[in-house]
Amino acid sequence: MAGDTPDRRGGIERRGGAGREAGRSSSDAGRQRTGGRAGAGGAGAAARSRAGTDPAAEPPVRGTMSEARRYTPRGRSVRDASVEHAGSGRGDPFRPALEVLQGGRTDTGRRAAGRAADTPRPPATEPGRAPKTPARTTQRMHRAVTDVDGEPRTGRTGARPAPLKRAAAPVRGTGRTPARKTTPVRKPRKQSRVRVPRLPRTNRAPKLAEPRRRLRLATVLALLMFAAIGIRLVQLQLTDASAYAAQGLENRLAHDTLAASRGAILDRTGKILVHSVETRSVIGDPFLIKDPEKTADRLFAVLDHYGVLRSDLVRLLTPHKRSDGKTDARFEYLARQISVEDSEKIQKLGYGAAISFERDERREVPGYDLASNVIGYTQKSDLSGQLGIEKAYNEQLRGVDGLHVYEHGEGDLDKPLPQGFEKLTPARPGSSVELTIDADLQFSVQYALGAKMTALGATFGTAIVLDARTMEVMAMASYPSFAAADPGKSEKEDLKDQCTATVFDPGSVHKAIVMGAALQEGLITPASTITVNSKVKKGDTTYTDHPPQKDGTAMTIPGILALSSNVGTIAVADLLGKDKLYEYQRRFGLGQRTGVGLPNESPGQLLPPNEWTGSSPGSIPIGNGVATTAIQMAAVYGAIANDGLWVQPTLVRKIIAPDGTETKPAAPVTRRVMDPVYAQQLRTMLEGVTTLGDATGHQAAIPGYRIAGKTGTSKLPQDGGYAPGEVVSFIGMAPAEAPRYVVAVTAHVPTGAGGSVAAPLFKEMMAVTLSNFGVVPTGTAAPKLTIYP
């Protein structure tokens, strides 16, 4: 038989020729697309007739509930409609609802083809009857193959399958049900599985939401959030708890600085030269002041003697902005360093928080301007040293501020909390500085200098008293002076210490260095004589004496010093040579700071031999062309008085800590300049300045005491030249046979000489010094000296 034959399992043999022809006919009918589903059905009927199957003889097929769901009210299955929808772009409007009933899935494409391939063969049927194909299997076979344009295909040729028909109703009167026509389905080859391409995304059915997936995602996010919160809580409670607790405590802590009291400056006997007293600063909050004018009037009545202006009080008490123009000015100093008594008067006015007070202190100078150029002054705001001892020993004087840290509340509870945190670091007051100056002697020297300089119209004046044995400064006065408690009222030039900061040509007081060096080098002796002329020329400058000597006049060394002979001194310097002269200048301390203990000390200026000019051998020996300070020249004569030992001058004896511990400064620098025997010879020759006839220093003589010293008259360097006027000086020691004190007086006056201006001041100051310290005359006779041999 040429048609399809059922196999043992009831399937249809796919290799029959009639089946292949039927498949080709169906395929051709599908390609022509003229008969739609009818064409497909016709092809199926022709295939069945050729196979010898009688449709009327087929038993009715009983449908199932699952099969019934697949039919729409139009009589077509949902899946058939889907196939048409994919191919034509139109679909059944009830398909989404039916898909929900089916579980939200459509078996199309590759999955349907796979199920069709895996469908088991139907069981074998009796001979003469068509094999029974379950409706679901038939539907799966219809979905098994779909071509690209959405049309379903079957078999190797891809013929369009006929649509499934409803089960035929029984024929009346016969009780038989017409046989259902079925479409034979060929078993697809396993190796020829049709690969169906995906439909375009625009033609896909929209995916339905899946609540379970969203619920799982929300659960995961919630767990992550709670995990993060838990980790942060653990971190706050365990890891960072102490840090946050400390930060919270810090926000509740108040830090009040306890200002350390500045140390005092004392004289050598413990008298106070300057010290600090407790005061108050008045602070105003302009935004709490209701009537600035009235408030300023009431405050001015108390603060007028502190230099406060009423207009300033009104301006400060009127609400205003800071300099940035944005911030309210809630804190303004109305007055600084007022007395405690006056602050209590203001407090009684009852301004409350609008007017507050702050602890302060000010420097008080009992002596007004006593030793003010030595003491210096402090800045008013923070009491930091600005000049003199206040600046040089600022670290020791200022002390260390204390700190009061306590826990406080807010608002009305803005006060230390009971049982709260509190830490008190007491302030450590500054140490006191004890000077070598004697207050009584300082007053006498300073008063005498000031009176004389004022009378003469001097530009500046200095007076220094040294202890010849220790080189301690017993008194050091400057003119002009100033009020150390209120330096703002004085000119800036008046504030400096003239003894250490002002330089000048020493003049004839420099001749002692020339004679001392010549004695030490053995070039002269006290009995030596020097031939002098009326003048001597060095380079382009001629040097003479006053009065001039006759040419070829022989003079003794004491005579040259007594008459202050320029020609004779230049002759001795020629014997010494410029290199040796420069060496002894350095050894006596010229051209370098003494280190007496004051800031802004000048080193002076000393010309090295290689820089000398043609006139230098004549000008430098007589004290011109050399810039020195008063303290440097006082130290030179101190070395002569101290038997040739140069000792560094000192101003500070010791530092006294608040607990009474005393600390002495480093030992002064010393160096040997002359042998004692030559120093004694030089002192003896210098006595002739006050004893020999026609000597320049007669006015420095003190009855009963032997005085050794030298006068000087020179110029004040200024802007590369010399200022008008004369720099006059006298430096001497007493008693000359065993010196106890050295007094150096220097002044720049419009006119005058050392013998007429400085010598009388020396006499007055030395007499007071000897008297105050009980130095009595030795009773030894003065040496017999001559000017000419």
Side-chain angles (χ1 to χ4, degrees), residues 459 714-718 721-727 748-751:
T459 303
S714 62
K715 294 292 185 179
L716 179 66
Q718 185 181 64
Y722 289 104
E726 305 291 339
V727 175
H748 180 234
V749 295
T751 183

Side-chain angles (χ1 to χ4, degrees), residues 204-219:
R204 288 185 182 180
K207 293 184 179 180
L208 297 181
E210 297 187 13
R212 289 177 296 176
R213 181 180 180 185
R214 288 185 295 178
L215 181 61
R216 286 194 298 268
L217 180 60
T219 303

